[in-house]
Amino acid sequence: MKSVLEILLRPIRRRFAVLGLLGALVVTLTWWLIVAHGVWLAVEWVSA
């Protein structure tokens, strides 16, 4: 028989797992946008 605490914590763990994945995705996308912007600025500077 599962403990009451484990039953109550399961949805909270799932929610935090989803938030963690979404947070990682946002950080990764932000990082790549910053890198792409830096590359674009470098190309503009070189071609000027």
Side-chain angles (χ1 to χ4, degrees):
M1 189 168 163
K2 295 183 178 180
S3 69
V4 175
L5 185 62
E6 187 178 334
I7 293 170
L8 290 175
L9 285 177
R10 187 177 297 144
I12 295 171
R13 283 184 189 154
R14 279 195 198 132
R15 194 166 296 135
F16 276 111
V18 170
L19 286 175
L21 288 173
L22 286 175
L25 183 64
V26 167
V27 168
T28 302
L29 288 175
T30 303
W31 172 252
W32 280 113
L33 285 173
I34 291 169
V35 169
H37 185 67
V39 168
W40 181 74
L41 287 176
V43 168
E44 287 283 319
W45 181 73
V46 167
S47 64

Tab-separated table of all heavy atoms in Angstrom:
chain	number	residue	atom	x	y	z
A	1	MET	N	0.834	-1.188	0.000
A	1	MET	CA	0.000	0.000	0.000
A	1	MET	C	0.883	1.257	0.000
A	1	MET	O	1.813	1.369	0.788
A	1	MET	CB	-0.880	-0.011	1.247
A	1	MET	CG	-1.924	1.044	1.247
A	1	MET	SD	-3.089	0.703	2.573
A	1	MET	CE	-3.856	2.277	2.698
A	2	LYS	N	0.578	2.164	-0.905
A	2	LYS	CA	1.388	3.371	-1.022
A	2	LYS	C	1.022	4.360	0.076
A	2	LYS	O	-0.118	4.445	0.507
A	2	LYS	CB	1.177	4.019	-2.382
A	2	LYS	CG	1.666	3.156	-3.517
A	2	LYS	CD	1.500	3.865	-4.834
A	2	LYS	CE	2.039	2.988	-5.932
A	2	LYS	NZ	1.925	3.580	-7.231
A	3	SER	N	2.027	5.098	0.477
A	3	SER	CA	1.777	6.091	1.519
A	3	SER	C	0.983	7.265	0.950
A	3	SER	O	1.026	7.545	-0.250
A	3	SER	CB	3.093	6.586	2.106
A	3	SER	OG	3.783	7.355	1.154
A	4	VAL	N	0.279	7.937	1.803
A	4	VAL	CA	-0.527	9.089	1.388
A	4	VAL	C	0.373	10.185	0.842
A	4	VAL	O	0.041	10.838	-0.156
A	4	VAL	CB	-1.361	9.602	2.592
A	4	VAL	CG1	-2.106	10.871	2.215
A	4	VAL	CG2	-2.324	8.528	3.060
A	5	LEU	N	1.540	10.348	1.459
A	5	LEU	CA	2.471	11.388	1.018
A	5	LEU	C	2.935	11.137	-0.418
A	5	LEU	O	2.987	12.065	-1.231
A	5	LEU	CB	3.680	11.436	1.963
A	5	LEU	CG	4.683	12.546	1.719
A	5	LEU	CD1	4.009	13.903	1.907
A	5	LEU	CD2	5.862	12.394	2.646
A	6	GLU	N	3.231	9.884	-0.734
A	6	GLU	CA	3.668	9.555	-2.093
A	6	GLU	C	2.563	9.827	-3.105
A	6	GLU	O	2.815	10.347	-4.191
A	6	GLU	CB	4.087	8.083	-2.143
A	6	GLU	CG	4.715	7.676	-3.452
A	6	GLU	CD	5.163	6.221	-3.442
A	6	GLU	OE1	5.436	5.697	-2.346
A	6	GLU	OE2	5.209	5.637	-4.533
A	7	ILE	N	1.341	9.490	-2.756
A	7	ILE	CA	0.198	9.736	-3.651
A	7	ILE	C	0.002	11.236	-3.866
A	7	ILE	O	-0.291	11.685	-4.981
A	7	ILE	CB	-1.081	9.091	-3.070
A	7	ILE	CG1	-0.934	7.563	-3.099
A	7	ILE	CG2	-2.309	9.525	-3.852
A	7	ILE	CD1	-2.019	6.837	-2.336
A	8	LEU	N	0.193	12.028	-2.814
A	8	LEU	CA	0.018	13.474	-2.942
A	8	LEU	C	1.168	14.125	-3.712
A	8	LEU	O	0.958	15.113	-4.410
A	8	LEU	CB	-0.082	14.106	-1.546
A	8	LEU	CG	-1.366	13.801	-0.766
A	8	LEU	CD1	-1.271	14.372	0.635
A	8	LEU	CD2	-2.580	14.333	-1.493
A	9	LEU	N	2.368	13.567	-3.614
A	9	LEU	CA	3.521	14.189	-4.259
A	9	LEU	C	3.645	13.859	-5.745
A	9	LEU	O	4.296	14.589	-6.474
A	9	LEU	CB	4.814	13.760	-3.549
A	9	LEU	CG	5.079	14.420	-2.200
A	9	LEU	CD1	6.347	13.856	-1.585
A	9	LEU	CD2	5.179	15.923	-2.327
A	10	ARG	N	3.005	12.782	-6.184
A	10	ARG	CA	3.159	12.371	-7.586
A	10	ARG	C	2.751	13.460	-8.583
A	10	ARG	O	3.517	13.781	-9.496
A	10	ARG	CB	2.383	11.088	-7.840
A	10	ARG	CG	2.653	10.541	-9.233
A	10	ARG	CD	1.962	9.233	-9.480
A	10	ARG	NE	2.446	8.207	-8.579
A	10	ARG	CZ	1.689	7.258	-8.050
A	10	ARG	NH1	0.405	7.220	-8.326
A	10	ARG	NH2	2.199	6.364	-7.250
A	11	PRO	N	1.565	14.088	-8.467
A	11	PRO	CA	1.205	15.147	-9.442
A	11	PRO	C	2.132	16.356	-9.361
A	11	PRO	O	2.418	16.988	-10.375
A	11	PRO	CB	-0.221	15.548	-9.055
A	11	PRO	CG	-0.695	14.547	-8.087
A	11	PRO	CD	0.486	13.820	-7.551
A	12	ILE	N	2.612	16.656	-8.156
A	12	ILE	CA	3.513	17.799	-7.995
A	12	ILE	C	4.834	17.518	-8.705
A	12	ILE	O	5.379	18.378	-9.397
A	12	ILE	CB	3.730	18.098	-6.494
A	12	ILE	CG1	2.411	18.532	-5.868
A	12	ILE	CG2	4.801	19.161	-6.303
A	12	ILE	CD1	2.441	18.651	-4.368
A	13	ARG	N	5.334	16.286	-8.569
A	13	ARG	CA	6.576	15.914	-9.255
A	13	ARG	C	6.411	15.999	-10.760
A	13	ARG	O	7.302	16.468	-11.461
A	13	ARG	CB	6.982	14.492	-8.865
A	13	ARG	CG	7.591	14.407	-7.503
A	13	ARG	CD	8.058	12.997	-7.247
A	13	ARG	NE	8.458	12.824	-5.869
A	13	ARG	CZ	8.445	11.680	-5.223
A	13	ARG	NH1	8.031	10.596	-5.831
A	13	ARG	NH2	8.836	11.611	-3.974
A	14	ARG	N	5.272	15.522	-11.269
A	14	ARG	CA	5.025	15.590	-12.720
A	14	ARG	C	5.016	17.036	-13.189
A	14	ARG	O	5.579	17.373	-14.226
A	14	ARG	CB	3.694	14.936	-13.059
A	14	ARG	CG	3.779	13.447	-13.154
A	14	ARG	CD	2.543	12.883	-13.852
A	14	ARG	NE	2.426	11.470	-13.555
A	14	ARG	CZ	1.321	10.876	-13.159
A	14	ARG	NH1	0.218	11.565	-13.023
A	14	ARG	NH2	1.302	9.590	-12.900
A	15	ARG	N	4.350	17.886	-12.417
A	15	ARG	CA	4.246	19.291	-12.806
A	15	ARG	C	5.629	19.938	-12.844
A	15	ARG	O	5.959	20.669	-13.776
A	15	ARG	CB	3.334	20.030	-11.820
A	15	ARG	CG	2.914	21.385	-12.320
A	15	ARG	CD	1.759	21.942	-11.506
A	15	ARG	NE	0.567	21.123	-11.642
A	15	ARG	CZ	-0.210	20.744	-10.633
A	15	ARG	NH1	0.066	21.109	-9.409
A	15	ARG	NH2	-1.271	20.011	-10.848
A	16	PHE	N	6.449	19.661	-11.830
A	16	PHE	CA	7.789	20.242	-11.805
A	16	PHE	C	8.664	19.669	-12.908
A	16	PHE	O	9.516	20.372	-13.449
A	16	PHE	CB	8.447	20.035	-10.438
A	16	PHE	CG	8.054	21.091	-9.448
A	16	PHE	CD1	7.244	20.781	-8.373
A	16	PHE	CD2	8.474	22.393	-9.606
A	16	PHE	CE1	6.868	21.755	-7.461
A	16	PHE	CE2	8.104	23.381	-8.703
A	16	PHE	CZ	7.305	23.054	-7.628
A	17	ALA	N	8.451	18.400	-13.285
A	17	ALA	CA	9.210	17.816	-14.389
A	17	ALA	C	8.871	18.533	-15.692
A	17	ALA	O	9.767	18.874	-16.476
A	17	ALA	CB	8.916	16.325	-14.497
A	18	VAL	N	7.583	18.804	-15.912
A	18	VAL	CA	7.169	19.516	-17.126
A	18	VAL	C	7.718	20.938	-17.114
A	18	VAL	O	8.238	21.426	-18.121
A	18	VAL	CB	5.628	19.514	-17.248
A	18	VAL	CG1	5.174	20.450	-18.361
A	18	VAL	CG2	5.126	18.104	-17.501
A	19	LEU	N	7.649	21.605	-15.961
A	19	LEU	CA	8.184	22.964	-15.868
A	19	LEU	C	9.688	22.972	-16.094
A	19	LEU	O	10.221	23.891	-16.721
A	19	LEU	CB	7.857	23.564	-14.493
A	19	LEU	CG	6.401	23.979	-14.278
A	19	LEU	CD1	6.195	24.441	-12.845
A	19	LEU	CD2	5.993	25.076	-15.248
A	20	GLY	N	10.371	21.966	-15.588
A	20	GLY	CA	11.813	21.868	-15.798
A	20	GLY	C	12.157	21.708	-17.265
A	20	GLY	O	13.079	22.347	-17.779
A	21	LEU	N	11.406	20.858	-17.963
A	21	LEU	CA	11.646	20.665	-19.397
A	21	LEU	C	11.352	21.938	-20.184
A	21	LEU	O	12.106	22.316	-21.079
A	21	LEU	CB	10.799	19.509	-19.927
A	21	LEU	CG	11.245	18.118	-19.499
A	21	LEU	CD1	10.209	17.091	-19.951
A	21	LEU	CD2	12.602	17.787	-20.073
A	22	LEU	N	10.254	22.603	-19.847
A	22	LEU	CA	9.922	23.849	-20.543
A	22	LEU	C	10.970	24.929	-20.269
A	22	LEU	O	11.355	25.669	-21.162
A	22	LEU	CB	8.538	24.345	-20.112
A	22	LEU	CG	7.354	23.562	-20.664
A	22	LEU	CD1	6.056	24.080	-20.059
A	22	LEU	CD2	7.301	23.637	-22.172
A	23	GLY	N	11.427	24.994	-19.030
A	23	GLY	CA	12.473	25.956	-18.682
A	23	GLY	C	13.755	25.693	-19.442
A	23	GLY	O	14.393	26.624	-19.945
A	24	ALA	N	14.137	24.423	-19.550
A	24	ALA	CA	15.338	24.075	-20.302
A	24	ALA	C	15.181	24.441	-21.776
A	24	ALA	O	16.124	24.930	-22.407
A	24	ALA	CB	15.642	22.587	-20.146
A	25	LEU	N	13.997	24.213	-22.320
A	25	LEU	CA	13.737	24.564	-23.713
A	25	LEU	C	13.836	26.076	-23.928
A	25	LEU	O	14.441	26.537	-24.905
A	25	LEU	CB	12.358	24.056	-24.121
A	25	LEU	CG	11.954	24.275	-25.573
A	25	LEU	CD1	12.867	23.505	-26.508
A	25	LEU	CD2	10.513	23.853	-25.783
A	26	VAL	N	13.269	26.846	-23.019
A	26	VAL	CA	13.323	28.309	-23.131
A	26	VAL	C	14.762	28.803	-23.049
A	26	VAL	O	15.188	29.657	-23.840
A	26	VAL	CB	12.440	28.967	-22.037
A	26	VAL	CG1	12.724	30.445	-21.922
A	26	VAL	CG2	10.973	28.724	-22.342
A	27	VAL	N	15.534	28.257	-22.100
A	27	VAL	CA	16.942	28.668	-21.957
A	27	VAL	C	17.718	28.322	-23.227
A	27	VAL	O	18.511	29.129	-23.725
A	27	VAL	CB	17.569	28.009	-20.712
A	27	VAL	CG1	19.080	28.176	-20.699
A	27	VAL	CG2	16.960	28.605	-19.457
A	28	THR	N	17.481	27.123	-23.767
A	28	THR	CA	18.194	26.707	-24.980
A	28	THR	C	17.833	27.605	-26.161
A	28	THR	O	18.726	28.052	-26.902
A	28	THR	CB	17.845	25.243	-25.314
A	28	THR	OG1	18.189	24.436	-24.188
A	28	THR	CG2	18.602	24.760	-26.532
A	29	LEU	N	16.543	27.873	-26.341
A	29	LEU	CA	16.129	28.737	-27.451
A	29	LEU	C	16.681	30.146	-27.296
A	29	LEU	O	17.132	30.750	-28.268
A	29	LEU	CB	14.603	28.775	-27.554
A	29	LEU	CG	13.949	27.508	-28.082
A	29	LEU	CD1	12.431	27.642	-28.011
A	29	LEU	CD2	14.393	27.214	-29.498
A	30	THR	N	16.672	30.664	-26.069
A	30	THR	CA	17.215	32.001	-25.825
A	30	THR	C	18.700	32.044	-26.148
A	30	THR	O	19.183	32.984	-26.793
A	30	THR	CB	16.980	32.407	-24.357
A	30	THR	OG1	15.576	32.343	-24.088
A	30	THR	CG2	17.480	33.804	-24.079
A	31	TRP	N	19.418	31.006	-25.708
A	31	TRP	CA	20.861	30.938	-25.972
A	31	TRP	C	21.126	30.938	-27.480
A	31	TRP	O	21.974	31.671	-27.974
A	31	TRP	CB	21.434	29.684	-25.305
A	31	TRP	CG	22.849	29.422	-25.673
A	31	TRP	CD1	23.308	28.436	-26.475
A	31	TRP	CD2	24.004	30.176	-25.275
A	31	TRP	NE1	24.663	28.506	-26.586
A	31	TRP	CE2	25.121	29.567	-25.871
A	31	TRP	CE3	24.176	31.298	-24.474
A	31	TRP	CZ2	26.407	30.060	-25.679
A	31	TRP	CZ3	25.460	31.778	-24.292
A	31	TRP	CH2	26.555	31.169	-24.882
A	32	TRP	N	20.367	30.136	-28.246
A	32	TRP	CA	20.596	30.075	-29.685
A	32	TRP	C	20.212	31.379	-30.377
A	32	TRP	O	20.859	31.768	-31.358
A	32	TRP	CB	19.854	28.891	-30.299
A	32	TRP	CG	20.607	27.621	-30.078
A	32	TRP	CD1	20.236	26.583	-29.305
A	32	TRP	CD2	21.894	27.281	-30.617
A	32	TRP	NE1	21.205	25.626	-29.331
A	32	TRP	CE2	22.232	26.016	-30.117
A	32	TRP	CE3	22.786	27.937	-31.473
A	32	TRP	CZ2	23.429	25.388	-30.457
A	32	TRP	CZ3	23.977	27.304	-31.802
A	32	TRP	CH2	24.285	26.049	-31.297
A	33	LEU	N	19.193	32.068	-29.871
A	33	LEU	CA	18.855	33.372	-30.445
A	33	LEU	C	19.967	34.376	-30.198
A	33	LEU	O	20.307	35.181	-31.077
A	33	LEU	CB	17.534	33.882	-29.860
A	33	LEU	CG	16.272	33.196	-30.394
A	33	LEU	CD1	15.053	33.679	-29.616
A	33	LEU	CD2	16.099	33.473	-31.872
A	34	ILE	N	20.568	34.359	-29.009
A	34	ILE	CA	21.684	35.257	-28.702
A	34	ILE	C	22.876	34.945	-29.603
A	34	ILE	O	23.511	35.845	-30.158
A	34	ILE	CB	22.062	35.150	-27.207
A	34	ILE	CG1	20.953	35.744	-26.343
A	34	ILE	CG2	23.397	35.825	-26.932
A	34	ILE	CD1	21.099	35.458	-24.863
A	35	VAL	N	23.173	33.649	-29.765
A	35	VAL	CA	24.283	33.250	-30.639
A	35	VAL	C	24.015	33.676	-32.083
A	35	VAL	O	24.894	34.234	-32.749
A	35	VAL	CB	24.526	31.726	-30.539
A	35	VAL	CG1	25.478	31.242	-31.621
A	35	VAL	CG2	25.058	31.369	-29.158
A	36	ALA	N	22.782	33.437	-32.556
A	36	ALA	CA	22.440	33.809	-33.937
A	36	ALA	C	22.537	35.319	-34.124
A	36	ALA	O	23.023	35.796	-35.162
A	36	ALA	CB	21.039	33.316	-34.275
A	37	HIS	N	22.109	36.072	-33.141
A	37	HIS	CA	22.189	37.530	-33.230
A	37	HIS	C	23.651	37.983	-33.265
A	37	HIS	O	24.012	38.873	-34.035
A	37	HIS	CB	21.456	38.160	-32.039
A	37	HIS	CG	21.375	39.646	-32.111
A	37	HIS	ND1	20.637	40.305	-33.078
A	37	HIS	CD2	21.944	40.606	-31.349
A	37	HIS	CE1	20.759	41.607	-32.896
A	37	HIS	NE2	21.550	41.819	-31.863
A	38	GLY	N	24.488	37.358	-32.436
A	38	GLY	CA	25.920	37.684	-32.439
A	38	GLY	C	26.568	37.366	-33.774
A	38	GLY	O	27.380	38.151	-34.285
A	39	VAL	N	26.207	36.231	-34.354
A	39	VAL	CA	26.759	35.861	-35.670
A	39	VAL	C	26.292	36.856	-36.721
A	39	VAL	O	27.083	37.299	-37.574
A	39	VAL	CB	26.340	34.420	-36.033
A	39	VAL	CG1	26.651	34.115	-37.498
A	39	VAL	CG2	27.029	33.425	-35.116
A	40	TRP	N	25.022	37.243	-36.658
A	40	TRP	CA	24.497	38.213	-37.621
A	40	TRP	C	25.228	39.556	-37.498
A	40	TRP	O	25.599	40.165	-38.503
A	40	TRP	CB	22.996	38.387	-37.392
A	40	TRP	CG	22.352	39.354	-38.338
A	40	TRP	CD1	22.078	39.145	-39.653
A	40	TRP	CD2	21.936	40.682	-38.038
A	40	TRP	NE1	21.491	40.265	-40.184
A	40	TRP	CE2	21.400	41.222	-39.223
A	40	TRP	CE3	21.950	41.467	-36.884
A	40	TRP	CZ2	20.889	42.514	-39.274
A	40	TRP	CZ3	21.445	42.746	-36.936
A	40	TRP	CH2	20.927	43.258	-38.125
A	41	LEU	N	25.456	39.993	-36.273
A	41	LEU	CA	26.200	41.244	-36.074
A	41	LEU	C	27.632	41.144	-36.599
A	41	LEU	O	28.148	42.073	-37.201
A	41	LEU	CB	26.208	41.629	-34.588
A	41	LEU	CG	24.904	42.162	-34.019
A	41	LEU	CD1	25.050	42.403	-32.525
A	41	LEU	CD2	24.473	43.445	-34.724
A	42	ALA	N	28.256	39.985	-36.392
A	42	ALA	CA	29.611	39.785	-36.879
A	42	ALA	C	29.651	39.817	-38.404
A	42	ALA	O	30.548	40.422	-38.997
A	42	ALA	CB	30.170	38.452	-36.364
A	43	VAL	N	28.676	39.194	-39.041
A	43	VAL	CA	28.607	39.199	-40.509
A	43	VAL	C	28.383	40.615	-41.021
A	43	VAL	O	29.011	41.055	-41.999
A	43	VAL	CB	27.503	38.239	-41.005
A	43	VAL	CG1	27.225	38.441	-42.497
A	43	VAL	CG2	27.898	36.795	-40.721
A	44	GLU	N	27.492	41.358	-40.372
A	44	GLU	CA	27.260	42.754	-40.763
A	44	GLU	C	28.522	43.588	-40.600
A	44	GLU	O	28.848	44.410	-41.469
A	44	GLU	CB	26.143	43.356	-39.868
A	44	GLU	CG	24.766	42.850	-40.194
A	44	GLU	CD	24.208	43.500	-41.450
A	44	GLU	OE1	24.395	44.704	-41.633
A	44	GLU	OE2	23.589	42.762	-42.234
A	45	TRP	N	29.261	43.364	-39.526
A	45	TRP	CA	30.477	44.144	-39.267
A	45	TRP	C	31.550	43.811	-40.288
A	45	TRP	O	32.243	44.696	-40.778
A	45	TRP	CB	30.961	43.838	-37.846
A	45	TRP	CG	32.184	44.598	-37.464
A	45	TRP	CD1	32.269	45.923	-37.168
A	45	TRP	CD2	33.515	44.082	-37.343
A	45	TRP	NE1	33.539	46.266	-36.859
A	45	TRP	CE2	34.342	45.155	-36.972
A	45	TRP	CE3	34.069	42.813	-37.533
A	45	TRP	CZ2	35.702	44.985	-36.771
A	45	TRP	CZ3	35.413	42.656	-37.328
A	45	TRP	CH2	36.233	43.734	-36.960
A	46	VAL	N	31.685	42.530	-40.642
A	46	VAL	CA	32.701	42.121	-41.612
A	46	VAL	C	32.357	42.626	-43.004
A	46	VAL	O	33.238	43.049	-43.745
A	46	VAL	CB	32.847	40.570	-41.588
A	46	VAL	CG1	33.659	40.085	-42.784
A	46	VAL	CG2	33.494	40.113	-40.292
A	47	SER	N	31.082	42.600	-43.356
A	47	SER	CA	30.703	42.988	-44.703
A	47	SER	C	30.606	44.506	-44.877
A	47	SER	O	30.441	44.989	-45.994
A	47	SER	CB	29.367	42.348	-45.084
A	47	SER	OG	28.350	42.829	-44.242
A	48	ALA	N	30.719	45.267	-43.819
A	48	ALA	CA	30.603	46.727	-43.908
A	48	ALA	C	31.873	47.343	-44.472
A	48	ALA	O	32.947	46.838	-44.378
A	48	ALA	CB	30.315	47.315	-42.536
